[in-house]
């Protein structure tokens, strides 16, 4: 008899953050149920985590109907929201909108009140009622500020006089008087290039690499900052430094420069509101002055050169006396690009790492180890004679002999140079570049370099951590660590392939493969919302999608299967993860254009033309005399992604109520699959390419008749075993490999692959000391030598897509597309691989989901937490039991 003990217990508001009330209970000899309630506190429901457009108190909302979200906290199990009331006011506290709706919706509720004014701050709060009749207190007041319309800009674009040909970063300044009491001061800033802005000598914000990288020829973001506290009575000074960045600097291949333009420029508008009701605007115009500061060069790939002897002490303060070196700026015309508000998170600094070891390599170089491959920069303290040049060069790994290895960086210098001014100790860090590294080589340092003279700072887009995952296997835990750090290092405003060599581009295939894993680890809703605008902007008129976004390659570099399908895959994945129907609606035209493009170049419903990367970096033995290289026909792969994109478009059409499209693409997908079977499968079910990737994609996307799917899964398993329980998949097959095995009942084989420690496998790099995900399965070979240097990144997140399977299958936390955003959750852990425990939690748009299990003395124990306003279906492993549960915390256990 199956023996189950299930405990239900409740969380109080004061203890919901990880403090549980457990009541021990003995096992029963039959199925038993215990309901154990904690003390009920007077406040039984509340709200938390209020956002507008996925952001907390955002400053530049362009959506005329902004969307509001919140999460419920409840003491009581099976709690759902029955009503919400939002109160929206202006600065004068006039109520402009006060809906009181009978609704359970708490995610992305559309504003439908009076038209909102531009560049205006609005305040909002809400309260909710639950299905038990409890009403929450009013939330704390939140705000959002609407963006600027084109007519709101009075500032002018300014730059240096003459040609902007200097390598050095220009610094621009403007003084103004403030003689009345300030009520508010708001700065609106953007640039062509990068900017770092200050007011009265202090940095305006903690954002880096503003205004961010977008498809500049279509749109440039501006940032909005509340600088009220920085305005002082009397003389004030604005100072802004400009860098090349992605706009003017080196980007892409073949030493390409000035892709977007040859002139760095600033647009700055400071709006002052005084307590007497008057207003004043200080904008960039002809009255500003410029000079060149200590940053003598800056380049995303190559690093910064900073000459402290060229510093201009106090240049961004009101009392500074300008020399004759300060010249009048030039005003340039506005371009055709749109100015848009921020829809994604800014880039900020995050973790700091102490130097672990300073050592001499066999080559005699001074190298510092920070212990973690990361993206950001090193902060260096130094003091020495004027003119002393210190070079800080960055690398990911050491070579077999223990020497500093930079060959895999190709032409990227990844070097910051600091030239001392010769008096006091200074602290240096780059301004307009970032590096990918674990090790740094220091040359030219005056005196003895000590551990306390350096620290490393991680820099990435400001995305909240949402997922936690751990098991009883330390190697698997390290793999999860590596996946997370691969994401952090490559999510610096754009999802790049790698963060260190002369590339760092938004490769679409990498992004789509990793998107689901990314959404488990961190809140990427706003991040991908921002980037998908660039996908739309750079999509070609014929519907084809470039290899990289923003597109800095040629127009013809587009249309590869598995890469261009980003236009359908990420909108759908983000809809499922965050219930963002608005994103799906916005991206729908691009999804449709992409599928229609494939149809237009297909013949007899077969997509067998064009350039494709195929299953990039699949397994290839060095001396392949036996034909063991896992080569999958590229057009065969293309056909499966044709079907997949069509299915996702069909899914979106159903969600958005587009009945005509639903009928059209339902008919099309049948033709696509029929053409696949006729072209690529024998009557007995064997595929033309007998590879893991071929069977994985055919099964994942339901390309085969149902009666031939199980035998295809068996062929996949046989293939895996023929390689000694090793995977052979590349970028396109890997994300789905274990999913397909689990779907067809081969969890044991999926675990064999996951826990395989020899090459090729996920754990081989872990065993070799990796702290991030590698580009290649054997970036470092078993003899310590390297793979081909021209493409061997040690921070490349694509293969980290296995994280999606780990959350879904090991921990068992799954979304349900019919009720997206984890309003409905499927909890279905599948223990295996000799694991004795696993736990995960996910902060969803409804709240925290937890699933944690252990196996002790033959007893399986599972603990589950479901947030308020959500529900779950629990499926226990190795059994047919299904149970629908509401919010609350639950415990299950039974004898295996």
């Amino acid at each position: 008899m199956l023996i189950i003990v299930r405990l239900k217990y409740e969380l109080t508001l004061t203890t919901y953050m990880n403090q549980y009330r457990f009541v021990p209970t003995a096992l029963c000899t039959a199925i038993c149920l215990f309901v154990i309630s904690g003390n009920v506190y007077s406040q039984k429901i509340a709200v938390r985590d209020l956002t507008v457009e996925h952001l907390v108190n955002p400053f530049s909302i362009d959506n005329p109907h902004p969307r509001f979200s919140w999460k419920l906290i409840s003491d009581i199990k099976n709690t759902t929201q029955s009503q919400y009331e939002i109160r929206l006011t202006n600065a004068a506290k006039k109520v402009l909108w006060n809906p009181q709706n009978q609704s359970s919706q708490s995610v992305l509720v559309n504003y439908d009140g009076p038209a909102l004014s531009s560049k205006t701050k609005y305040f909002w709060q809400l309260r909710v009622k639950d299905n038990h009749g409890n009403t929450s207190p009013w939330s704390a007041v939140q705000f959002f500020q609407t963006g600027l319309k084109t007519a709101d800009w009075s500032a002018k674009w300014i730059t240096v006089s003459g040609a902007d040909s200097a390598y050095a970063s220009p610094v621009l300044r403007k003084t103004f008087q403030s003689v009345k009491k300030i009520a508010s001061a708001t700065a609106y800033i953007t640039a062509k290039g990068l900017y770092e802005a200050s007011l009265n000598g202090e940095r305006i914000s903690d954002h880096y690499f503003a205004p961010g990288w977008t498809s500049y020829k279509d749109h440039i973001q501006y940032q909005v900052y509340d600088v009220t506290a920085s305005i002082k009575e009397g003389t004030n000074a604005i100072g802004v430094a400009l860098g090349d960045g992605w706009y003017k600097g080196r980007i892409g291949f073949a030493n390409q420069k000035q892709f977007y333009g040859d002139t760095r420029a600033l647009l700055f508008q400071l709006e002052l509101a005084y307590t007497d009701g008057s207003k004043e605007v200080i904008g960039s115009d002809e009255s500003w002055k410029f000079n060149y500061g200590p940053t003598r060069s800056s380049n995303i790939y190559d690093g910064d050169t900073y000459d402290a002897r060229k510093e201009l002490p106090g240049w961004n303060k009101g009392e500074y006396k300008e020399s004759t070196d300060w010249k009048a700026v030039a005003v340039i015309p506005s371009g055709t690009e749109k100015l848009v508000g921020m829809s994604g998170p800014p880039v900020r600094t995050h973790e700091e790492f102490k130097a672990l070891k300073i050592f001499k390599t066999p080559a005699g170089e001074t190298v510092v180890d920070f212990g973690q491959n990361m993206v950001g920069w090193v902060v260096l303290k130094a003091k020495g004679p004027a003119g002393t040049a210190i070079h800080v060069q960055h690398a990911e790994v050491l070579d077999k002999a223990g020497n500093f290895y930079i060959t895999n960086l190709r032409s990227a210098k990844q070097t910051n140079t600091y030239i001392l001014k010769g008096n006091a100790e200074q602290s240096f860090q780059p301004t307009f570049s970032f590096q990918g590294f674990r090790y740094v080589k220091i040359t030219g340092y005056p005196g003895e370099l000590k551990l306390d003279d350096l620290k490393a700072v991680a820099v990435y887009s400001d995305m909240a951590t949402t997922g936690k995952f751990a098991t009883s296997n330390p190697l698997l835990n390290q793999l999860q660590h590596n996946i997370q750090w691969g994401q952090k290092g490559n999510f610096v405003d754009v999802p790049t392939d790698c963060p260190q060599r002369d590339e760092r581009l938004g490769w679409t295939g990498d992004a789509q493969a990793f998107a689901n894993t990314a959404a488990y680890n961190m809140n990427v809703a706003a991040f991908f919302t921002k980037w998908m605008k660039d996908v739309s902007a750079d999509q070609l008129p014929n519907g084809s999608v470039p290899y990289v976004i923003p597109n800095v390659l040629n127009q013809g570099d587009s249309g590869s299967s598995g890469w261009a399908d980003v236009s359908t895959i990420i909108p759908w994945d983000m809809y499922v993860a965050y219930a963002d129907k608005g994103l799906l609606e916005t991206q729908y035209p691009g999804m449709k254009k992409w599928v229609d493009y494939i149809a237009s170049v297909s013949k007899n419903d077969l997509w067998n033309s064009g350039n494709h990367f195929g299953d990039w970096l699949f397994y290839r033995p060095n001396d392949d005399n036996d034909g063991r290289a896992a080569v999958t026909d590229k057009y065969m792969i293309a056909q499966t992604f044709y079907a997949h994109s069509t299915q996702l478009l069909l899914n979106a059409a159903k969600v958005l109520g587009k009945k005509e499209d639903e009928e059209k693409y339902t008919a099309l997908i049948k033709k696509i699959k029929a053409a696949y079977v006729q072209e690529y499968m024998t009557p007995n079910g064997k595929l033309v390419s007998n590879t893991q990737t071929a069977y994985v994609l055919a099964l994942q996307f339901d390309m085969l008749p149902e009666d031939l799917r199980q035998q295809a899964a068996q062929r996949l398993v046989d293939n895996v075993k023929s390689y000694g329980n090793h995977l052979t998949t590349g970028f396109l097959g890997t994300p789905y490999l274990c999913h397909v095995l689990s779907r067809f009942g081969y969890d044991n084989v999926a675990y064999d692959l996951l826990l395989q420690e020899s090459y090729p496998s996920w754990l081989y790099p872990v065993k070799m000391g990796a702290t991030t995900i590698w580009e290649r399965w054997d970036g470092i070979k078993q003899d310590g030598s390297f793979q081909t240097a021209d493409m061997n990144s040690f921070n490349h997140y694509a293969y980290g897509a296995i994280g999606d399977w780990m959350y879904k299958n090991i921990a068992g936390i799954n979304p349900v597309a019919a009720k997206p955003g984890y309003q409905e959750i499927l909890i279905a852990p599948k223990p295996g691989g000799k694991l004795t425990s696993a736990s995960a939690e996910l902060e969803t748009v409804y709240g925290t989901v937890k699933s944690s299990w252990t196996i002790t003395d033959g007893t399986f124990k599972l603990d589950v937490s479901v947030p308020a306003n959500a529900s779950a279906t629990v499926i226990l492993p190795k059994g047919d039991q299904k149970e629908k549960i509401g919010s609350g915390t639950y415990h299950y256990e039974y004898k295996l």
Side-chain angles (χ1 to χ4, degrees):
M1 178 182 295
L2 178 66
I3 302 174
I4 300 177
V5 174
R6 186 180 63 139
L7 305 177
K8 287 189 178 183
Y9 48 92
E10 301 163 8
L11 290 76
T12 66
L13 283 175
T14 57
T15 61
Y16 90 93
M17 294 296 289
N18 300 323
Q19 298 178 40
Y20 302 106
R21 296 174 58 86
F22 289 94
V23 177
T25 227
L27 285 174
C28 295
T29 57
I31 295 177
C32 302
L33 169 65
F34 293 84
V35 180
I36 303 166
S37 299
N39 295 330
V40 178
Y41 285 38
S42 57
Q43 183 176 302
K44 299 176 181 178
I45 188 171
V47 293
R48 65 177 175 103
D49 294 356
L50 280 64
T51 61
V52 177
E53 295 295 334
H54 303 294
L55 302 171
V56 178
N57 295 335
F59 270 101
S60 53
I61 294 296
D62 288 335
N63 186 351
H65 302 284
R67 300 171 301 165
F68 303 87
S69 301
W70 58 91
K71 300 172 186 175
L72 275 65
I73 314 167
S74 176
D75 288 339
I76 306 173
K77 63 180 173 62
N78 298 321
T79 294
T80 57
Q81 176 184 288
S82 62
Q83 179 180 329
Y84 68 81
E85 178 180 2
I86 298 176
R87 188 162 58 195
L88 186 141
T89 67
N90 58 17
K93 298 184 179 180
K94 179 183 178 181
V95 176
L96 304 177
W97 186 52
N98 185 214
Q100 302 176 47
N101 293 338
Q102 302 288 329
S103 171
S104 63
Q105 186 178 1
S106 60
V107 176
L108 299 170
V109 173
N110 280 283
Y111 173 79
D112 62 358
L116 301 173
S117 301
S118 61
K119 61 175 184 177
T120 301
K121 184 177 284 189
Y122 293 93
F123 303 87
W124 69 289
Q125 59 183 157
L126 84 148
R127 62 181 177 183
V128 299
K129 181 178 287 188
D130 67 18
N131 56 319
H132 307 295
N134 302 304
T135 301
S136 76
W138 283 99
S139 70
V141 175
Q142 306 290 296
F143 72 83
F144 67 93
Q145 186 162 312
T146 51
L148 277 70
K149 296 179 180 177
T150 302
D152 293 326
W153 286 99
S154 59
K156 302 174 182 178
W157 283 100
I158 60 174
T159 185
V160 300
S161 58
D164 182 20
S165 58
Y167 288 114
S169 288
V171 291
L172 301 87
R173 65 178 256 113
K174 164 74 176 180
T175 60
F176 64 94
Q177 299 295 316
S178 176
V179 296
K180 294 188 288 186
K181 189 174 181 181
I182 292 287
S184 67
T186 306
Y188 303 88
I189 316 174
T190 190
K192 295 181 178 180
L194 303 177
Y195 73 83
E196 183 175 270
S198 57
L199 183 58
N200 293 325
E202 299 294 330
R203 219 173 180 275
I204 280 180
S205 81
D206 59 357
H207 298 186
Y208 289 89
F209 308 114
W213 188 12
T214 56
S215 300
Y216 291 136
K217 294 178 181 179
D218 180 81
H219 60 278
I220 300 176
Q221 295 182 131
Y222 63 88
Q223 287 71 45
V224 185
Y225 308 107
D226 184 344
V227 294
T228 307
S230 299
I231 303 294
K232 66 179 184 179
E233 185 177 347
T235 303
N236 294 264
I238 303 163
V240 183
L242 298 178
D244 288 358
W246 299 280
Y247 185 87
K248 184 187 177 187
R250 186 155 75 103
I251 192 69
F253 303 115
N255 202 32
Q256 176 176 267
K257 298 178 182 177
Q258 302 179 2
F259 180 80
Y260 295 103
D262 61 5
T263 302
R264 295 166 290 191
L266 171 70
L267 188 66
F268 187 106
Q269 187 161 304
L270 176 63
E271 301 198 357
L272 305 174
Y274 298 103
T275 55
D276 65 3
S278 61
K279 296 182 179 181
E280 183 179 5
V281 177
I282 311 295
S284 47
D285 59 17
E286 300 86 346
S287 66
W288 287 53
K289 298 290 185 65
F290 83 93
N291 201 344
Y292 291 99
T295 300
R296 308 311 293 172
S297 67
S298 66
N299 187 284
I300 295 290
Y301 294 160
D302 298 328
D304 285 15
T305 295
Y306 184 96
D307 190 342
R309 299 170 301 177
K310 301 290 186 180
E311 289 176 347
L312 304 166
W315 71 274
N316 50 7
K317 295 182 179 179
E319 60 270 22
Y320 179 75
K321 303 298 182 183
E322 295 174 0
S323 70
T324 56
D325 293 331
W326 288 86
K327 309 296 183 183
V329 300
V331 172
I332 60 174
S334 298
T336 58
E337 67 278 345
K338 301 182 290 290
L339 297 179
V340 301
M342 291 276 286
S343 53
V347 175
R348 288 190 166 103
T349 58
H350 296 275
E351 297 91 343
E352 295 186 354
F353 294 83
K354 294 181 179 179
L356 298 182
K357 182 171 63 172
I358 300 173
F359 59 96
K360 289 285 187 181
T361 67
E365 301 162 320
T366 299
V367 172
V368 184
D369 180 9
F370 289 98
Q372 172 64 51
N373 196 0
M374 73 188 87
V375 173
W377 50 67
V378 170
V379 179
L380 175 70
K381 294 186 294 185
K383 178 182 179 181
T388 300
I390 306 171
H391 304 282
V392 183
Q393 193 171 16
H394 303 73
E396 297 181 288
V397 293
L398 304 177
D399 69 13
K400 185 176 182 179
N403 289 312
F404 197 70
Y405 180 76
I406 57 171
T407 309
N408 70 319
L409 302 181
R410 301 191 301 222
S411 68
K413 295 178 181 177
Q414 270 220 131
T415 301
N416 296 317
T417 298
Y418 306 114
I419 302 173
L420 306 185
K421 63 183 178 182
N423 46 22
E425 179 180 84
Q426 286 187 277
S427 181
F428 299 97
Q429 68 182 49
T431 304
F432 295 124
S433 69
F434 58 87
Q435 288 76 47
F437 66 99
R438 170 177 171 172
Y439 301 94
V440 295
K441 182 177 74 174
I442 309 293
T443 56
Y445 191 84
E448 180 186 359
L449 182 67
K450 299 178 181 179
L451 291 174
D452 289 342
D453 293 326
L454 312 96
K455 68 177 178 180
V457 180
V459 177
Y460 49 89
S461 290
D462 195 20
M463 306 164 291
T465 297
T466 51
K468 296 179 182 178
F469 177 90
T471 73
S472 56
N473 187 317
L475 293 178
L476 205 53
N477 297 341
Q478 183 65 42
L479 175 63
Q480 169 65 10
H481 170 95
N482 295 0
I483 293 170
Q484 291 172 318
W485 276 95
Q487 179 172 348
K488 290 176 179 180
N490 282 291
F491 277 41
V492 181
D493 203 51
V494 164
T496 56
D497 59 326
C498 61
Q500 73 298 86
R501 68 188 180 211
D502 57 352
E503 193 165 354
R504 312 186 193 192
L505 303 178
W507 282 95
T508 51
D510 304 50
Q512 68 82 10
F514 189 72
N516 276 327
T517 300
Y520 274 110
N521 290 332
M522 309 182 88
N523 185 342
V524 294
F527 180 87
F528 276 124
T529 295
K530 178 259 183 187
W531 189 64
M532 288 306 298
K533 291 180 179 179
D534 298 307
V535 173
S536 296
D538 283 346
Q539 187 171 20
L540 303 185
N542 66 2
S544 187
V545 178
Y547 302 156
V548 300
I549 300 292
N551 185 21
V552 294
L553 306 181
N554 299 316
Q555 288 269 315
D557 295 329
S558 65
S560 175
S561 57
W563 271 253
D565 298 281
V566 71
S567 59
T568 57
I569 292 173
I570 287 186
W572 180 256
D573 286 350
M574 295 304 102
Y575 167 72
V576 173
Y578 300 108
D580 194 341
K581 186 177 177 181
L583 177 65
L584 201 61
E585 193 162 16
T586 299
Q587 295 299 323
Y588 187 82
M591 299 171 73
K592 187 174 179 180
K593 282 174 63 179
W594 168 238
V595 171
D596 288 349
Y597 166 78
I598 304 174
S600 73
V601 297
S602 296
K603 297 177 182 178
N604 299 320
D605 299 308
L606 278 174
W607 186 18
N608 53 8
S609 62
N611 295 318
H612 302 275
F613 293 111
D615 193 29
W616 190 249
L617 296 181
F618 56 86
Y619 171 69
R620 285 173 284 187
N622 289 330
D623 189 14
D624 189 25
N625 293 323
D626 295 330
R628 298 294 282 167
V631 182
T632 309
D633 186 289
K634 291 183 178 181
Y635 295 140
M636 185 180 187
I637 292 173
Q639 190 73 1
T640 65
F641 275 93
Y642 183 12
H644 185 42
S645 276
T646 303
Q647 183 63 61
L648 296 182
L649 177 61
L650 177 57
N651 294 348
K654 291 178 180 178
V655 170
L656 299 175
K658 298 181 182 295
K659 296 297 183 182
E660 289 186 10
D661 283 351
E662 186 178 341
E663 294 175 2
K664 174 183 176 180
Y665 294 107
T666 296
L668 177 61
I669 198 167
K670 292 178 181 178
K671 295 177 181 179
I672 295 169
K673 292 181 178 181
Y676 175 92
V677 169
Q678 182 176 358
E679 185 78 3
Y680 298 114
M681 191 187 76
T682 70
N684 291 330
K686 184 176 181 178
L687 299 181
V688 170
S689 294
N690 188 37
T691 64
Q692 292 175 22
T693 290
Y695 287 103
V696 164
L697 296 181
L699 292 168
Q700 177 69 23
F701 302 146
D702 294 332
M703 304 300 293
L704 309 181
E706 287 193 35
D707 62 342
L708 290 177
R709 292 176 187 175
Q710 195 62 48
Q711 65 83 31
Q714 182 62 58
R715 292 178 189 270
L716 170 61
V717 170
D718 292 344
N719 185 288
V720 169
K721 291 181 178 179
S722 77
Y723 284 90
N725 287 330
H726 289 87
L727 51 74
T728 62
T729 50
F731 276 29
L732 297 186
T734 298
Y736 308 112
L737 175 57
C738 288
H739 283 295
V740 167
L741 289 167
S742 289
R743 174 184 169 187
F744 288 92
Y746 296 104
D747 288 310
N748 59 324
V749 181
Y751 270 105
D752 287 344
L753 287 174
L754 177 64
L755 298 176
Q756 175 63 255
E757 296 181 11
S758 59
Y759 163 78
S761 68
W762 284 286
L763 294 186
Y764 170 76
V766 173
K767 295 280 285 187
M768 295 295 286
T771 61
T772 44
I773 299 297
W774 293 353
E775 181 176 20
R776 293 176 177 270
W777 293 119
D778 61 341
I780 300 176
K781 298 181 181 181
Q782 297 172 70
D783 64 0
S785 62
F786 293 116
Q787 257 286 0
T788 177
D790 63 352
M791 196 168 61
N792 197 22
S793 162
F794 294 98
N795 194 348
H796 225 88
Y797 58 70
Y799 286 143
I802 185 62
D804 181 52
W805 184 86
M806 289 158 58
Y807 274 100
K808 285 183 168 74
N809 289 270
I810 298 178
I813 299 177
N814 295 263
V816 176
K819 290 190 175 181
Y822 296 88
Q823 183 180 21
E824 172 70 24
I825 309 148
L826 173 63
I827 302 292
K830 298 175 180 178
K834 298 182 180 179
L835 297 181
T836 58
S837 67
S839 63
E841 62 181 74
L842 178 65
E843 186 64 27
T844 74
V845 292
Y846 287 93
T848 308
V849 177
K850 295 183 181 180
S851 175
S852 176
W853 58 262
T854 62
I855 299 175
T856 306
D857 297 329
T859 299
F860 176 82
K861 299 178 181 180
L862 172 68
D863 289 292
V864 174
S865 292
V866 178
N869 213 28
S871 61
T873 298
V874 177
I875 301 177
L876 298 177
K878 299 181 180 179
D880 297 327
Q881 285 77 12
K882 286 186 180 181
E883 183 183 14
K884 186 71 177 287
I885 58 175
S887 64
T889 306
Y890 302 81
H891 178 83
Y892 303 83
E893 59 183 75
Y894 67 92
K895 287 288 186 180
L896 293 173

